[in-house]
Amino acid sequence: LAALASHAMRPVAAVLVGPPDPYAAARIAMQAPETPVFLLEPPRHYDAPSIASAAAAQHPTIEALLAIATHAAASAPQPHAARARGDAAPPLPSESAGGTRHTSRSTEAASWAERDRVSVWHPYTSLEDPEPPQVVVSAQDEFLTLEDGRRVIDAISSWWTILHGHRHPVLMRALAQASERYDHVQFAGLTHRPGVELAEAMLATMPWRGGLVFYSDDGSTAVEVALKMAYQYWCHRGEPERTQFVAFDGAYHGDTFGAMAVGRDPVFFGRFEPLLFQARRLPVSPERLEDALRAHRGQVAAVILEPLVQGAGGMRMHTPDTLRAIHEVTRRHGVLFIADEVMTGGGRTGELWAHRSAGIAPDLVCAGKTIAGGVLPLAATLASPDVVAAWRTSDPTRTFFHGHSFTAHPLACAVGVANWRLLASGLRETTGAIERFWMDRLAPLCDRPGIRDVRVRGTIAAIELDAAGGYLAGVGRHVRRLGLEHGVLLRPLGSVLYAMPPLGVSLASLECIADAMTQAVAAVSRPS
């Protein structure tokens, strides 16, 4: 009733069709005392005799309902005729049936950005001088529709989450079907089919047979799980002194404390340095890793790396050969290897998992963002059989004491199963075509003044501008505005302009993205 009132529709009655439900009628009467409630039972069969019989049995109720409807129709204003004469449309009711205050739809739409400013704290956004957020009213395929009617291309897949495209019909259908059976159930002591099916599907793509999937909520929590597992693994092996982790320059693994410790970006996390555990940062170099593990023998629990592409650190890229060599160093020194595939998993780099390009077998794999196609939040940490074996014990004190309220959310897992089936149908042709497009259209820009580098891997294209300030470079804000002027949503990582569209992006949209990036680069690198 409140929703209808907000759209200038004030119901004159509520009719419940079905078996008698006095409780529902009483609840409606409590919330909307001025709205009469009627109970009508449908006929058993929709043929003439059954309908006539049902109508006769409920004749007094139908007569009362018709009387109310007739009176309302006779006294209602004629809004369409009034508008045709140029008169103002009748005002909308200021309050809903339940007494909650509402404004008109147009007033609400015009004020969403302002209401956002006074009530919402956005991620990675200054409170002192924020850009007004764009109000999104709908999404479909690679497009977002804004409140002013503009349709812009989501060139960054809504922070790298939307895998195939917004509201992909296969995923939406899976969500709708699952919602008819589930909402949420805890995952401690209970299980459900979608959670099991998705775990089986992901494990089948790993380079080892066996292992287990531990579900969580997002990429950062998947990393937290991996870090805790890595340390507890060594505790179970009788080596609790392995308290150090090794990560790499340019790494970003999330915003929770363990993830911050192995990320250690001075801009993002420098303020929290006194609170972070020990983690060594090295260049992405197998030689430097060899030296570090030799110097700290028996002290390192695990090495963690975003394979092939370091995302938030500026879309820095390394080769499969470098990845393979780093993994081989960890094997020689008996240290666990964690592949943070939160961004690179799901085919972004050309393979289903980026580590596949190097033919390696990580001990732990962190996944998130695209597990459920970006439709719902879901993350997972995949543990190899050797890691899992350390917990095969009857000692209850050696349990992995970790969990989340919404672990393995059934709806997210159901969408994930459908997503994994889409991925299993093949993606190399798609990612290969996008990669070739980026190489043809953007790679030549590397020779232009003001551009330090152009990097391409799979669906990802990055242009590093010759601008000071790193992530805080002011050029990023300017590029965002220029992108929107060309109908493309971009969110540069400071001086690094990048695109990572959904797999289902059209060639026409790729052309628009490339044009917007090219023109933005030309504008910001033009001599003043």
Side-chain angles (χ1 to χ4, degrees):
L1 292 172
L4 289 170
S6 72
H7 288 263
M9 292 183 284
R10 177 64 66 88
V12 296
V15 184
L16 303 181
V17 180
D21 193 344
Y23 175 79
R27 295 295 297 177
I28 294 174
M30 183 185 302
Q31 296 295 325
E34 76 282 13
T35 303
V37 181
F38 294 86
L39 301 175
L40 285 176
E41 293 191 61
R44 290 191 173 187
H45 305 285
Y46 283 91
D47 53 38
S50 298
I51 294 173
S53 175
Q58 302 173 90
H59 187 264
T61 302
I62 295 174
E63 284 291 332
L65 181 56
L66 284 174
I68 290 177
T70 302
H71 174 74
S75 58
Q78 302 299 316
H80 296 291
R83 290 194 187 99
R85 295 193 303 269
D87 298 334
L92 300 183
S94 61
E95 294 187 1
S96 72
T100 303
R101 190 164 188 81
H102 287 265
T103 57
S104 73
R105 186 180 184 184
S106 60
T107 301
E108 286 183 344
S111 64
W112 283 127
E114 178 61 22
R115 291 166 69 175
D116 174 281
R117 186 185 67 79
V118 299
S119 60
V120 178
W121 195 335
H122 287 269
Y124 288 90
T125 302
S126 168
L127 294 181
E128 183 61 28
D129 185 28
E131 289 187 81
Q134 301 295 322
V135 180
V136 177
V137 297
S138 66
Q140 186 66 49
D141 302 325
E142 66 264 40
F143 301 103
L144 300 173
T145 302
L146 307 182
E147 66 171 342
D148 60 8
R150 285 181 296 163
R151 194 170 73 153
V152 299
I153 300 169
D154 187 356
I156 59 173
S157 298
S158 287
W159 256 353
W160 325 337
T161 58
I162 300 300
L163 188 54
H164 306 282
H166 288 280
R167 302 181 64 248
H168 190 283
V170 172
L171 305 187
M172 291 296 99
R173 187 159 56 248
L175 175 59
Q177 292 172 349
S179 69
E180 295 178 356
R181 305 184 65 178
Y182 300 104
D183 49 6
H184 177 59
V185 294
Q186 71 174 57
F187 212 57
L190 299 174
T191 192
H192 46 72
R193 177 175 175 174
V196 174
E197 283 188 327
L198 180 56
E200 291 174 341
M202 289 193 291
L203 288 172
T205 65
M206 287 293 103
W208 20 257
R209 296 186 62 182
L212 293 174
V213 172
F214 193 99
Y215 288 112
S216 57
D217 301 338
D218 55 38
S220 187
T221 57
V223 169
E224 294 288 331
V225 168
L227 297 174
K228 289 176 67 174
M229 281 183 175
Y231 176 66
Q232 192 172 350
Y233 168 86
W234 290 112
C235 291
H236 291 345
R237 295 279 299 266
E239 299 184 54
E241 65 277 4
R242 289 183 177 265
T243 58
Q244 295 186 22
F245 290 84
V246 175
F248 296 91
D249 295 340
Y252 172 83
H253 298 288
D255 297 336
T256 49
F257 270 88
M260 286 195 295
V262 292
R264 259 190 171 78
D265 183 281
V267 175
F268 296 168
F269 312 132
R271 187 78 61 183
F272 304 98
E273 184 64 36
L275 307 178
L276 305 180
F277 61 69
Q278 297 181 70
R280 300 187 176 276
R281 289 274 293 236
L282 305 172
V284 182
S285 161
E287 293 79 18
R288 291 292 298 274
L289 179 61
E290 182 83 50
D291 294 341
L293 294 185
R294 185 182 298 115
H296 301 279
R297 189 179 305 277
Q299 301 173 34
V300 177
V303 172
I304 182 169
L305 175 65
E306 299 159 88
L308 299 187
V309 183
Q310 295 175 294
M315 296 298 167
R316 302 186 188 188
M317 301 180 184
H318 52 269
T319 66
D321 287 342
T322 298
L323 174 60
R324 186 182 308 109
I326 287 175
H327 179 262
E328 289 172 354
V329 172
T330 64
R331 287 294 164 267
R332 284 197 297 273
H333 289 269
V335 173
L336 296 180
F337 183 84
I338 302 171
D340 179 356
E341 296 253 19
V342 171
M343 185 271 281
T344 55
R348 293 293 193 193
T349 66
E351 294 280 356
L352 183 59
W353 301 101
H355 70 259
R356 278 186 171 186
S357 299
I360 64 174
D363 299 289
L364 292 157
V365 177
C366 304
K369 290 190 180 296
T370 58
I371 291 182
V375 175
L376 290 171
L378 183 66
T381 304
L382 286 70
S384 69
D386 179 62
V387 171
V388 171
W391 276 266
R392 300 287 189 189
T393 172
S394 58
D395 183 353
T397 65
R398 303 180 81 174
T399 298
F400 185 62
F401 291 108
H402 191 101
H404 299 257
S405 297
F406 290 98
T407 289
H409 193 285
L411 301 185
C413 288
V415 177
V417 171
N419 175 51
W420 226 249
R421 288 173 181 157
L422 286 174
L423 290 173
S425 64
L427 51 83
R428 283 192 178 184
E429 183 177 343
T430 299
T431 55
I434 296 174
E435 183 177 74
R436 289 190 296 274
F437 178 87
W438 292 143
M439 292 299 294
D440 291 342
R441 287 296 309 273
L442 299 182
L445 297 179
C446 65
D447 296 328
R448 291 193 179 186
I451 295 179
R452 291 180 182 174
D453 191 21
V454 177
R455 301 185 282 272
V456 173
R457 170 73 66 179
T459 66
I460 307 165
I463 302 173
E464 184 171 355
L465 303 174
D466 189 8
Y471 185 83
L472 299 179
V475 69
R477 179 181 263 196
H478 187 38
V479 167
R480 286 201 295 272
R481 294 196 194 104
L482 292 172
L484 283 175
E485 290 176 6
H486 291 89
V488 178
L489 176 66
L490 299 168
R491 188 178 174 87
L493 298 162
S495 58
V496 177
L497 172 61
Y498 76 93
M500 189 191 303
L503 297 176
V505 64
S506 67
L507 178 59
S509 291
L510 284 175
E511 293 281 2
C512 289
I513 296 170
D515 288 343
M517 295 177 73
T518 302
Q519 294 183 48
V521 165
V524 299
S525 61
R526 188 180 299 125
S528 57

